[in-house]
Amino acid sequence: MPPVTLSSTLEEVVGAKTAATLRRAFGMTTVGELLAHYPRRYARRGELTPIASLPVGEQVTIVAEVRSVSVRPMRGRPGTLLEVVISDGAGTVNLTFFNQQWRQADLRVGRQGIFSGKVGEFKQQKQFAHPDYELFDDEGEARQSAEARQRQPIPIYPATSTVSSWQLHKTIVAVLSRVTEIPDPLPEALRRAVGLLPALTAVRHLHTPDDIEQIDPARHTLRMHEAFVLQAALLQQRQEVRALAATARPAGELLERFDASLPFARTPDQVTVGDRIEADLQADWPMNRLVQGEVGSGKTLVALRAMLQVAQSGGQSALIAPTEVLAAQHLRSIARMLGPRLAPELMPTLLTGQLPAAERRKAALRVASGQARIVVGTHALLSSTTTFADLGLVVVDEQHRFGVEQRETLRAKGNAPHVLVLTATPIPRTVAMTVFGDLDVSTIRTLPAGRAGIETFVAPLAEKPGWFARVWERITEEVALGRQAFVVCAAIDAAAKEPDPDAPSAPAVEGETERTRWGVVQVAEMLARDESYRDVRVEVLHGKMPADQKDAVMQAFARGEIDVLVATTVVEVGVDVPNASTMVILEADRFGVSQLHQLRGRVGRGGLPGLCLLVTEAAVGTMARSRVQAVARTSDGFELAEVDLELRGEGDVLGDAQSGARSSLRLLRVVADADLIARARAAAERVLAEDPTLASHPGLADAIDRRVGQQERAALAKN
């Protein structure tokens, strides 16, 4: 029989039928993928408890004999119920299985075995629902096995309706018995220095522990493996990007003229980040940089300076934004910053899908001919009909709203163009290392001088329902002072439960109100009936409005022709109205921490003090209420990013923003394992510095190939 390795196919090891089932259920095709399907938790087999004294609600193990088996139709719904009565000689307990008639072949009267499960109770009779069991031919063997395995934890795996945790475990045990070697991805010196187990031992102890004490060392070893392999893959990708030849874009008089025309001094962070980008653009390899900064910290200014540097040599820059509203606003902001002298020279051009056909053709022609050296658009930039004369810089705004395929499509329209990714959602250090480890990360922390700041308060309607009326009074007080206000809703129409296609979806979490009560439609109707709003100019904005109408509303609001804008989270990014002083977020518990912080950043942008009221019915002590209170407690977006990560866990933070190797962490947890990730990155940097091709580290090279296959590697390369 040939040796089984991590690269062996499941079909050759477990047979075609089981392999097909595992492929359909989990997408796994190799032994390595099966063994990397780690237990989610472990159950205790419990004491060998006599049936007469089984404790309800606890996990127990008993040795018993099948006394009777019956099948009957379920009442009130289709399907069958298999009922098995087992006895230990002194008492009896029922086993119930729904729609699993096939178990009759195993559970025949007289068969004995070990049964593990959680004790339930139905009609005063103790029962196990869908217990795990193992049957034996000999009672003495069953009792001896039960006593030996009493301390042995039961691995519980992520399972599906077609493959149970029990079946997975049996398959993994069978496969592991044939695996004699697992190459260690860690250099031996590093493994010994940090006191980790050999790879095969760690995998065996995680899947088939003899006792609970074996699990933590195994898990720690495999977490280090995951961190090390992931960081090495990201660093390899950085090496590959730097091996590409890019067109150097030296700075020149365009940038000098622009800087001289600025009516303000750049902040220290803007200068530092700008200098790094200026140097990147003159390098022989493509820039691949992420710039993160608070709302209003000047990321657009930094990006525009990069565009001017590229334009100096005749190159073009493309800025892709997630919405029509934001793209149009970016164009107006860029034209305003360039001023009447530079704007005609660079011909900033808008290209979106909603442009009238004639305008779109003209815009596409300016882009294709190279006349437009700055192009701003939405997904229309990705169209096969959109071509560039010399695309030298790709700027991606709000990167989490775009997939890697879309970014690659745009980047492929140039010859190894430089890439600048912008985000106003602060990224915790560990997430930056884990998700964006192949990008150089720059941070703009300081805000421009003259900002009056924002005060944030929670309006807790669960305890103080009278505050709801006060919220609306507070808006009229601001309007009376000549200021403007946003009212943000979680839906367009609460009655229709209509999502906004332009808005990020709100998270469903423990503690949030059961259903949306206040949509844009409901708030607009309420204010139309309110006598105190008779002279207040109220308009609505949401993603289902035509693009020209959305843009018209935003421009009217910016000109001060609208007092109160009732909107969905379509206003989350890019909306800049210095006269807007107040933001009310209804049902704030329906939004994430970062989203609330982004929304809040729409006010207090000029010299006016900002006021943000977070209206919520979430009860004290729930996670939803904790999020809202965290936002009210601090205006530091970087502190909130850490809070958000702790509250939600990295599953939501990582989400599907990235593809392949970075989208699903197996054992690694970016909060709990921050120090381990940092150590792994430092170790991976040392290994790659000494051995760039990993010729002397075959275990690591194999692990990267398995963990980051062709599809994932392509996704990494596109990022």
Side-chain angles (χ1 to χ4, degrees), residues 187 190 228 232 682-694 697 700:
L190 174 63
F228 186 71
E685 282 175 340
R686 288 194 298 271
V687 167
L688 283 164
E690 296 169 4
D691 183 14
T693 63
L694 299 181
H697 296 80
L700 176 56

Side-chain angles (χ1 to χ4, degrees), residues 245-392:
T247 302
R249 306 285 180 173
E253 55 94 19
L254 276 177
L255 199 51
E256 291 169 7
R257 284 161 55 196
F258 176 74
D259 286 346
S261 70
L262 287 175
F264 53 82
R266 288 183 291 151
T267 66
D269 280 356
Q270 288 172 355
V271 171
T272 301
V273 174
D275 289 349
R276 291 300 305 271
I277 292 172
E278 189 174 322
D280 285 349
L281 292 174
Q282 297 180 64
D284 293 330
W285 59 81
M287 174 177 72
N288 214 23
R289 185 170 293 277
L290 170 73
V291 174
Q292 59 171 335
E294 292 279 15
V295 170
S297 61
K299 296 183 301 299
T300 306
L301 172 66
V302 164
L304 180 53
R305 292 185 78 258
M307 294 177 190
L308 288 167
Q309 188 170 335
V310 170
Q312 183 69 51
S313 58
Q316 295 169 287
S317 297
L319 188 159
I320 185 167
T323 67
E324 304 265 346
V325 169
L326 186 50
Q329 177 135 340
H330 269 310
L331 187 79
R332 287 194 296 273
S333 177
I334 287 170
R336 187 174 64 249
M337 284 193 282
L338 288 174
R341 290 188 175 180
L342 283 173
E345 190 175 336
L346 298 168
M347 203 176 287
T349 296
L350 182 68
L351 188 57
T352 72
Q354 296 296 319
L355 285 175
E359 277 187 50
R360 184 169 174 176
R361 279 195 299 273
K362 286 179 186 175
L365 187 60
R366 287 197 296 271
V367 174
S369 67
Q371 275 183 297
R373 281 190 268 173
I374 294 178
V375 185
V376 181
T378 55
H379 293 76
L381 295 179
L382 308 175
S383 167
S384 59
T385 60
T386 302
T387 58
F388 293 81
D390 178 15
L391 181 59

Side-chain angles (χ1 to χ4, degrees), residues 53-54 105-106 132 139 189 263 334-335 424 441 512 528 675:
S53 56
L54 288 178
D106 275 340
D132 283 332
E139 182 184 357
I334 287 170
V441 180
E512 76 170 18
D675 291 340

Side-chain angles (χ1 to χ4, degrees), residues 112-441:
Q112 296 173 339
I114 172 173
F115 299 84
S116 295
K118 190 174 183 179
V119 183
E121 197 166 32
F122 181 69
K123 292 184 178 179
Q124 299 183 324
Q125 170 68 42
K126 289 173 182 173
Q127 70 169 22
F128 292 155
H130 289 259
D132 283 332
Y133 60 86
E134 190 167 353
L135 299 174
F136 296 88
D137 294 328
D138 175 75
E139 182 184 357
E141 182 188 347
R143 216 166 271 285
Q144 184 180 5
S145 173
E147 288 163 4
R149 295 171 63 188
Q150 188 175 330
R151 294 177 65 248
Q152 192 174 18
I154 303 172
I156 306 296
Y157 293 88
T160 69
S161 58
T162 55
V163 184
S164 70
S165 173
W166 180 262
Q167 291 168 313
L168 270 168
H169 183 56
K170 289 187 77 169
T171 304
I172 288 170
V173 169
V175 170
L176 258 180
S177 69
R178 295 180 57 191
V179 176
T180 57
E181 184 184 3
I182 293 180
D184 207 309
L186 301 179
E188 183 65 15
L190 174 63
R191 185 184 73 76
R192 292 184 182 279
V194 291
L196 300 178
L197 300 171
L200 181 57
T201 303
V203 171
R204 281 180 172 159
H205 285 186
L206 202 66
H207 287 296
T208 58
D210 293 325
D211 54 56
I212 205 77
E213 286 77 23
Q214 290 183 339
I215 295 169
D216 279 348
R219 190 181 274 137
H220 179 63
T221 296
L222 294 171
R223 272 203 301 265
M224 185 61 173
H225 285 190
E226 184 170 16
F228 186 71
V229 170
L230 195 55
Q231 293 304 321
L234 291 166
L235 291 166
Q236 267 194 336
Q237 173 58 27
R238 177 182 286 190
Q239 284 180 343
E240 289 172 19
V241 168
R242 293 193 169 185
L244 296 173
T247 302
R249 306 285 180 173
E253 55 94 19
L254 276 177
L255 199 51
E256 291 169 7
R257 284 161 55 196
F258 176 74
D259 286 346
S261 70
L262 287 175
F264 53 82
R266 288 183 291 151
T267 66
D269 280 356
Q270 288 172 355
V271 171
T272 301
V273 174
D275 289 349
R276 291 300 305 271
I277 292 172
E278 189 174 322
D280 285 349
L281 292 174
Q282 297 180 64
D284 293 330
W285 59 81
M287 174 177 72
N288 214 23
R289 185 170 293 277
L290 170 73
V291 174
Q292 59 171 335
E294 292 279 15
V295 170
S297 61
K299 296 183 301 299
T300 306
L301 172 66
V302 164
L304 180 53
R305 292 185 78 258
M307 294 177 190
L308 288 167
Q309 188 170 335
V310 170
Q312 183 69 51
S313 58
Q316 295 169 287
S317 297
L319 188 159
I320 185 167
T323 67
E324 304 265 346
V325 169
L326 186 50
Q329 177 135 340
H330 269 310
L331 187 79
R332 287 194 296 273
S333 177
I334 287 170
R336 187 174 64 249
M337 284 193 282
L338 288 174
R341 290 188 175 180
L342 283 173
E345 190 175 336
L346 298 168
M347 203 176 287
T349 296
L350 182 68
L351 188 57
T352 72
Q354 296 296 319
L355 285 175
E359 277 187 50
R360 184 169 174 176
R361 279 195 299 273
K362 286 179 186 175
L365 187 60
R366 287 197 296 271
V367 174
S369 67
Q371 275 183 297
R373 281 190 268 173
I374 294 178
V375 185
V376 181
T378 55
H379 293 76
L381 295 179
L382 308 175
S383 167
S384 59
T385 60
T386 302
T387 58
F388 293 81
D390 178 15
L391 181 59
L393 173 65
V394 171
V395 180
V396 181
D397 190 33
E398 291 308 318
Q399 56 78 31
H400 62 281
R401 304 286 293 276
F402 294 98
V404 291
E405 293 292 340
Q406 294 163 317
R407 295 202 289 277
E408 168 62 8
T409 298
L410 184 54
R411 198 166 78 166
K413 292 177 181 288
N415 182 21
H418 301 282
V419 175
L420 183 61
V421 175
L422 309 178
T423 180
T425 305
I427 302 165
R429 178 179 64 95
T430 48
V431 175
M433 277 194 300
T434 307
V435 183
F436 305 106
D438 60 329
L439 276 74
D440 296 307
V441 180

